[in-house]
Structure formats: structure tokens, C-alpha cells
Amino acid sequence: MKFPLYFSNKIARSKDNKNNLSRVIIFIGRLSVALGIIVSLITFSVGLGSKKAIKERMADFSGHISVKSTRSNASYNSSVLDVKGLDLQKIKALPEVSTIQNYTAAIGIFRTENNFAGIVYKGIDKDFDHERFEKFLLEGTTPKVTGKGYNNTVTISQKIAKELNLKVKDSIVSIFSRENQQPIYRKFEVVGIYKTDIKMIDDNYVLGDINQARKILDMKDNEIGGVDIFLNNINDIDEVFPKIEQLSGIKNFAEKATEKYPQIVDWIQLFDNNIGIIILLMVIVVIINIIMVLFFMIIERTNSIGILKTLGATNRQIRTIFINYTLLIMIPGIFIGNAIGLGLLGLQKIFGIITLNPEQYYVSVVPVDLNIFMILGITIGILIIAAVAMILPSHYISKISPVKSLKYK
């Protein structure tokens, strides 16, 4: 074993560390490291978990990437998709693509005797992935569309259900206006109630039969308003988007789920800023405390430094001894920080103890994202930062005179 590591190991286990002042300083150092680990784990896990949860909820409702006609622009009413310029077969063949769903959307009004609500009727086709949507269902089911005839059932959001006092199996009258034509009235039966926690979705969207939407918009039986494309991994959006854009045709345009609602995208970007600020503050706190511990250890063992210099130890060897020594006494803080941080995050992930207002945060429970690389990265990062932070103050050792240090009390 190298001399600096051997000697730092010996003094780390020395009985001299059991005096009251040493215990306090060591405790403060370990506490700062533990808090740094805990706060970093929680910040990264919750920040990344929130970003992932919001993106996945948006994508699982309306596809990771959607393709619709350029004539639709920002309107909720669908225009007929130009299928001649759209190569769906090549899109389906992309390895990143999981499934594709047809849809047609029309805006309307749900009306009861006492209230009304504006809605976006999203007509789904027989290729709709009912299993993917199950995570959003609170009650009932989604409309079972066969592609033939007209299905008069709808699945509505919890928000709309509360506003109009609707329950599963209730009937609701809807009104759809058409340009230069008489409004269309439809009576639907509520078969399901869903909740995504995304305000812009829950405030507006109703799922129904695509044939109803075609009838409202005077579309032919084989015409559609758009396609929702689901990927195997949401992290592939940026990579696969240009490929889908090229296969969409010049009369259509592709849109990422993360770009449909700019206010949500801005909200997600805030997580990056907040994570950066919190981590920076914790790093500063850890560095200050580590330097304080190191200075105390040097001052406390000034006599030992003098003896080591007298016996021929170089300044570099002595600096290495004290850096290793400080890191060694910090290791329990790392284990404690990981144990507490991962324990708290595990409880939140399993039981969802801390809840949020979805209208403000777009999720109803604080989400947690844990992975081994993040945990190792934070732990190793704290150790590296601590080691680097001690290099400069450890040069104080070179200024200690062996003669004076032996007389130091």
C-alpha cells in the first residue's frame, strides 16, 4: 500500500478523532455530504420524472408525432389529410414506430338543461389502441369502433363530467356547427370517464366514433383528418421526427407531442433551470464544508505534519494524506445520503405520498425517475468535486514549518 493512503487510513481510525471537537467537525462534514447526496437525488429524480411523466401523458393521448393537413393550421376542426403524399407504409416500417392511429376531430358543444361546455370531438378508428389508453380511464371504457355505421358512445374527461354533472351511462346532447349549413345535433351515451392531468386535454377532448366526425365535417367514408404515430421510446422523438416529416407529403405537416402545447414545453424547460440552480447551491455548500473540515484537520494535526516533514515526507505526500483522510471520513455521509434519499424516493414512487394540483403542475402525484446511472453519477460526482475542492486549500500544508509545528499546541 502506498504511504499516503496507508497513513490516511491509520489516522482516520485513530482514537484522537473521538474528542468532542473532532466529532463535531467530522459530523458536520458528513452531514453536508449526506444532504448534498439527498438533495441531488431528489432534485434529479423528481425533475427528470416530471419531465418524463408530462411528455408521456401528452404522447400517450395524441401520439408522439401527429400528421395532419396544412389546411388545418391551428384549428381543432380536421381538414382532409392528403393521403397521396403520405407514405404510411414506410412510416410503419420505421423501427422506432410502434403503432399508427387514424383520427378526425370536430369542435362542438355539449349541452345539458343547466350548463354547457365546448368540446373537441376526437373521432377514433378501429385501429385505436384501447390498452394504451387504459391508464387514463377512471370509469367505464372507450368507444368500441368497428368502422361500420355510427357508434353513439363517447368517453369524456373527468373535468367535463363534473362541469355537466355527467356519469357513465348518462346521455348528452351535442351541437356541431358547420359553415353555411344548419348545425348538427347528436345524442351520445357516456361509456367512460378519463383523466390525463394535462389541463389542455382534460378541458376539451372527448373520444367518439370517427364516422360521426366524418359526417359532421362532410368527409367521405375513407377520408381521415390525421394520424397519431406512437413510438417505442419517447426519447426517439427528435431522431425519428425528420424521417416522418419527409414521408408526410408537402400538403401535410408533422408535429411533435411536445410542440402541441407551447405553455407545457415552457413549463418543462423550467425544470432544467431549477435543477441547475439547486445543484449549484448544494455543490457550493458541500465545497465550503469540505474545505472547512480539511482546514480543521490540518490545524488539529499540525504536530503530525511537522513530524512527517522531519522524517522526510514531501509536501505533496502530506497533502495527499489529508485529502485521502478527509474523503475517507466523508464516505459514511455518502452511504447515509444514498440510503435516506433512495428510501424517500422509493416510498414516493410506490405509495405516491406527495400529491400536486394537476391544473398547475400537469401531474397529480410527484413523479420519480430512478436509474442506476444517475445514482452512480451523483455519488461519484460529489466525491470528485470534494477531492478537487481540497487541492487548493491543501497547499497550506507547504507553509507549515517543521520547527514551529513541533512546538504548536
Side-chain angles (χ1 to χ4, degrees):
M1 185 181 290
K2 290 184 178 180
F3 165 67
L5 183 59
Y6 171 79
F7 198 84
S8 57
N9 232 343
K10 293 293 286 184
I11 60 175
R13 293 176 170 81
S14 171
K15 293 181 179 179
D16 292 345
N17 293 329
K18 295 182 180 179
N19 67 70
N20 291 333
L21 187 56
S22 291
R23 278 204 301 264
V24 171
I25 297 298
I26 290 172
F27 173 78
I28 292 173
R30 286 174 176 170
L31 180 63
S32 69
V33 171
L35 287 175
I37 295 281
I38 293 168
V39 173
S40 298
L41 281 173
I42 292 174
T43 301
F44 272 106
S45 297
V46 173
L48 297 177
S50 298
K51 289 170 63 176
K52 184 178 179 182
I54 294 170
K55 286 181 180 179
E56 286 182 346
R57 284 177 177 273
M58 287 192 296
D60 284 342
F61 184 87
S62 56
H64 296 83
I65 299 171
S66 294
V67 177
K68 57 183 180 179
S69 170
T70 53
R71 290 175 295 168
S72 297
N73 295 322
S75 173
Y76 285 112
N77 275 337
S78 295
S79 295
V80 177
L81 193 68
D82 179 32
V83 293
K84 292 181 181 178
L86 177 65
D87 198 332
L88 285 176
Q89 294 306 315
K90 285 188 177 180
I91 292 176
K92 288 178 182 178
L94 292 172
E96 300 91 347
V97 173
S98 173
T99 57
I100 292 178
Q101 298 175 179
N102 299 330
Y103 76 89
T104 298
I107 56 174
I109 296 173
F110 272 1
R111 188 185 69 185
T112 63
E113 292 182 2
N114 303 315
N115 206 351
F116 68 92
I119 57 115
V120 179
Y121 181 95
K122 184 171 183 177
I124 60 174
D125 209 344
K126 57 186 177 182
D127 55 9
F128 183 76
D129 190 343
H130 298 273
E131 186 176 343
R132 183 188 294 272
F133 196 83
E134 277 184 3
K135 66 170 70 68
F136 301 132
L137 281 174
L138 301 177
E139 297 179 59
T141 62
T142 44
K144 300 300 184 287
V145 178
T146 61
K148 298 178 182 179
Y150 297 93
N151 186 319
N152 292 318
T153 61
V154 290
T155 298
I156 65 175
S157 70
Q158 185 186 54
K159 177 78 177 298
I160 294 173
K162 285 183 177 179
E163 285 181 357
L164 302 181
N165 195 27
L166 293 173
K167 304 183 298 296
V168 173
K169 296 185 179 180
D170 284 352
S171 295
I172 182 67
V173 173
S174 59
I175 307 167
F176 299 93
S177 62
R178 301 191 295 176
E179 189 174 352
N180 300 324
Q181 296 184 50
Q182 292 292 325
I184 290 182
Y185 290 80
R186 288 287 184 271
K187 188 175 184 179
F188 294 113
E189 178 189 352
V190 177
V191 293
I193 296 174
Y194 76 87
K195 181 185 179 186
T196 66
D197 288 330
I198 306 295
K199 180 174 168 48
M200 283 67 74
I201 293 174
D202 291 348
D203 283 356
N204 300 299
Y205 280 90
V206 168
L207 297 184
D209 186 351
I210 192 171
N211 283 338
Q212 294 280 12
R214 285 170 175 154
K215 180 69 174 176
I216 294 164
L217 298 173
D218 286 330
M219 289 185 180
K220 295 177 182 178
D221 291 344
N222 61 340
E223 291 178 333
I224 57 175
V227 290
D228 289 333
I229 301 165
F230 295 89
L231 308 180
N232 295 311
N233 190 334
I234 193 169
N235 295 323
D236 293 333
I237 284 184
D238 293 331
E239 180 184 343
V240 76
F241 181 77
K243 302 176 187 177
I244 292 175
E245 201 171 28
Q246 288 182 350
L247 299 170
S248 298
I250 58 174
K251 293 184 179 180
N252 304 319
F253 72 96
E255 185 178 35
K256 302 176 189 176
T258 51
E259 294 176 348
K260 286 186 179 181
Y261 309 104
Q263 59 271 54
I264 295 181
V265 175
D266 292 340
W267 170 255
I268 289 174
Q269 289 175 348
L270 283 175
F271 284 111
D272 295 327
N273 298 331
N274 292 338
I275 288 172
I277 292 169
I278 293 171
I279 295 302
L280 178 62
L281 291 174
M282 288 312 305
V283 166
I284 292 171
V285 170
V286 170
I287 288 173
I288 291 172
N289 280 280
I290 290 294
I291 291 173
M292 179 195 72
V293 171
L294 177 61
F295 271 128
F296 172 79
M297 297 302 173
I298 292 171
I299 293 169
E300 186 186 43
R301 294 187 176 273
T302 301
N303 295 112
S304 299
I305 293 170
I307 293 171
L308 288 170
K309 284 190 174 186
T310 303
L311 293 174
T314 65
N315 286 325
R316 183 175 179 180
Q317 286 179 319
I318 299 172
R319 286 201 304 270
T320 304
I321 288 171
F322 278 90
I323 290 174
N324 289 342
Y325 172 36
T326 307
L327 289 175
L328 283 171
I329 64 175
M330 295 299 111
I331 287 174
I334 290 173
F335 283 111
I336 293 168
N338 274 300
I340 295 174
L342 293 175
L344 293 173
L345 291 170
L347 289 172
Q348 177 62 25
K349 192 174 182 68
I350 296 169
F351 300 106
I353 299 167
I354 303 174
T355 58
L356 298 170
N357 182 352
E359 292 193 0
Q360 295 178 344
Y361 298 98
Y362 305 110
V363 285
S364 55
V365 176
V366 172
V368 171
D369 182 31
L370 286 174
N371 63 76
I372 188 66
F373 298 107
M374 179 196 68
I375 297 166
L376 289 175
I378 290 172
T379 302
I380 295 171
I382 291 286
L383 275 174
I384 292 173
I385 289 168
V388 172
M390 287 186 287
I391 292 174
L392 189 60
S394 68
H395 281 275
Y396 174 75
I397 290 170
S398 62
K399 297 180 180 180
I400 296 176
S401 167
V403 177
K404 293 181 179 179
S405 64
L406 291 172
K407 298 177 181 179
Y408 181 82
K409 293 182 180 180

